[in-house]
Amino acid sequence: MDTGKKIPVILDGDPGHDDAIAWTVAKASNRLDIRAVTTVGGNQTVEKTTYNARRICALLGIDAPIAKGNAFPLMSKPMTAGNFHGTSGLDGPKLPEPDRPLSGYTAVELMAKVLRESEDPVTIFSTGAQTNVAALLLTHPELKEKIGCISIMGGGIQYGNWTPAAEFNILVDPEAAQTVFQSGVPVQMCGLDVTEKALVMPEDFETIRNIGNQVSRIVAEWLDFFMIIHKEMGYEGAPLHDPNAILSYLYPEIYDIREMHVEVETAGLYTRGCTVGNYGKIANLGVLEQPNVRVVMNVNRGKFVEKLVEAVKKYDGREVKI
Ligand code: RIB
Ligand code: CA
């Protein structure tokens, strides 16, 4: 039942063009109250993703505290994706400089503080590796009950994108993802099954650009940059992964979501980072039959784009010094 109260949320990610657009959508929603922003390494080093997070918050007017997350995954070496997001991790349009210092907390400390202080369950939107979220669950098991949902972009039941088996966010930190998926906390997973269908076409870029506010111009230029490599890879549109973690939570009716048991492979030579889903057709597996994740498998693409446009229009009248 919609009580009209805003839902307290934490944005955790590795901005990253699609993280930045996901945060644009989150800030535009009158149903979400952003209580903290935390960063992980992934698209770029955590130093760079943190600087990007601070600039995005200055652009959008997100005044929540910001904390830098772990520089390293739980048990593996850092990986970056400069080929997709550029040297800065957010190449393309000029952005405002940060408008305030970091919070002084680590990501886990800030997440725990938000959970402790919140009257209502907090939703964590995680659009990078699960390192901070797993570290939070491991160091503060007593706060698990304060998490209403962990809505992630990550994984792929049918295929990967960094290896044939593994999607990038999960592969950066498979142990962290397995910790989150087996935690008992409600998890909603937007993997490549849905995000590769959430294509934003070049004509949609122009629809967004023509909204005409400062944020719309910058979002369109983020899409322009993000499309460069995807065009070279043969995509007709930009697969906008991360906003699905927000929009599938806010508008489940435009998605196809299935309850599934999902395990994360952490040991395979070729399959490390694979999200192995049991559609439920394989019976008699005992615990592996018990669903533990709401897996988002499809989206109405037109409605997805509509929600993006709606969100960007909310920034009419906002202009910051760049
Ligand atoms: O595989 C896509 C994911 O990896 C997205 O979250 C993108 O931002 C990168 O983090
Ligand atoms: Ca991301």
Side-chain angles (χ1 to χ4, degrees):
M1 182 185 72
D2 185 356
T3 62
K5 276 179 86 175
K6 286 197 169 192
I7 302 161
V9 305
I10 294 170
L11 303 179
D12 179 75
D14 59 343
H17 295 74
D18 51 337
D19 304 74
I21 298 173
W23 294 5
T24 302
V25 170
K27 172 59 180 166
S29 171
N30 57 12
R31 289 163 55 191
L32 302 179
D33 175 12
I34 301 171
R35 299 278 178 89
V37 172
T38 51
T39 58
V40 283
N43 284 326
Q44 263 300 348
T45 64
V46 72
E47 295 301 333
K48 291 183 176 180
T49 60
T50 304
Y51 175 56
N52 293 339
R54 297 176 64 201
R55 296 192 294 165
I56 295 162
C57 287
L59 173 73
L60 301 177
I62 296 177
D63 58 5
I66 305 169
K68 184 169 69 169
N70 290 19
F72 297 97
L74 296 186
M75 292 175 69
S76 36
K77 291 188 175 56
M79 291 167 60
T80 55
N83 49 338
F84 282 87
H85 299 273
T87 311
S88 72
L90 197 55
D91 282 15
K94 240 172 101 49
L95 296 175
E97 284 306 307
D99 57 5
R100 56 203 160 83
L102 285 172
S103 62
Y105 293 99
T106 65
V108 174
E109 287 166 347
L110 181 58
M111 288 171 141
K113 181 175 184 292
V114 167
L115 294 181
R116 265 195 294 274
E117 293 173 357
S118 178
E119 272 176 33
D120 300 311
V122 176
T123 291
I124 299 174
F125 289 117
S126 171
T127 55
Q130 299 292 310
T131 311
N132 294 334
V133 183
L136 170 70
L137 295 169
L138 293 170
T139 48
H140 294 284
E142 78 285 359
L143 293 174
K144 266 182 167 177
E145 62 194 17
K146 295 298 291 290
I147 305 174
C149 174
I150 301 168
S151 183
I152 79 161
M153 190 281 143
I157 300 300
Q158 299 165 81
Y159 47 80
N161 64 357
W162 214 255
T163 71
E167 178 277 328
F168 180 76
N169 286 343
I170 305 297
L171 185 59
V172 170
D173 199 338
E175 284 75 15
Q178 178 69 339
T179 301
V180 171
F181 280 27
Q182 310 317 324
S183 67
V185 174
V187 174
Q188 181 153 306
M189 169 187 140
C190 285
L192 298 171
D193 316 283
V194 62
T195 67
E196 292 273 321
K197 297 166 188 151
L199 292 176
V200 184
M201 311 306 272
E203 56 267 27
D204 302 322
F205 296 14
E206 298 322 309
T207 302
I208 290 170
R209 202 186 318 272
N210 293 336
I211 293 170
N213 63 44
Q214 182 180 53
V215 168
S216 73
R217 288 192 294 276
I218 288 173
V219 167
E221 288 179 38
W222 281 335
L223 288 165
D224 293 338
F225 183 89
F226 198 52
M227 190 63 199
I228 296 167
I229 186 165
H230 285 96
K231 190 167 181 184
E232 288 165 11
M233 293 166 71
Y235 282 80
E236 289 176 11
L240 210 52
H241 306 287
D242 292 341
N244 289 283
I246 316 282
L247 290 172
S248 64
Y249 178 82
L250 290 173
Y251 306 103
E253 66 277 9
I254 71 170
Y255 288 87
D256 168 15
I257 304 175
R258 298 186 207 168
E259 301 274 346
M260 226 181 271
H261 186 93
V262 182
E263 296 278 338
V264 178
E265 176 59 74
T266 55
L269 180 57
Y270 300 107
T271 54
R272 177 168 163 78
C274 181
T275 47
V276 184
N278 174 7
Y279 277 77
K281 293 189 172 52
I282 303 169
N284 308 321
L285 288 177
V287 71
L288 293 182
E289 284 181 88
Q290 306 312 317
N292 59 339
V293 179
R294 283 166 51 84
V295 180
V296 187
M297 293 300 289
N298 202 347
V299 64
N300 177 320
R301 193 198 74 82
K303 295 257 187 240
F304 171 75
V305 174
E306 262 176 43
K307 296 300 180 190
L308 288 182
V309 171
E310 252 173 56
V312 173
K313 284 182 176 170
K314 295 278 185 72
Y315 294 89
D316 281 353
R318 180 175 174 80
E319 188 92 14
V320 296
K321 182 174 174 302
I322 296 179

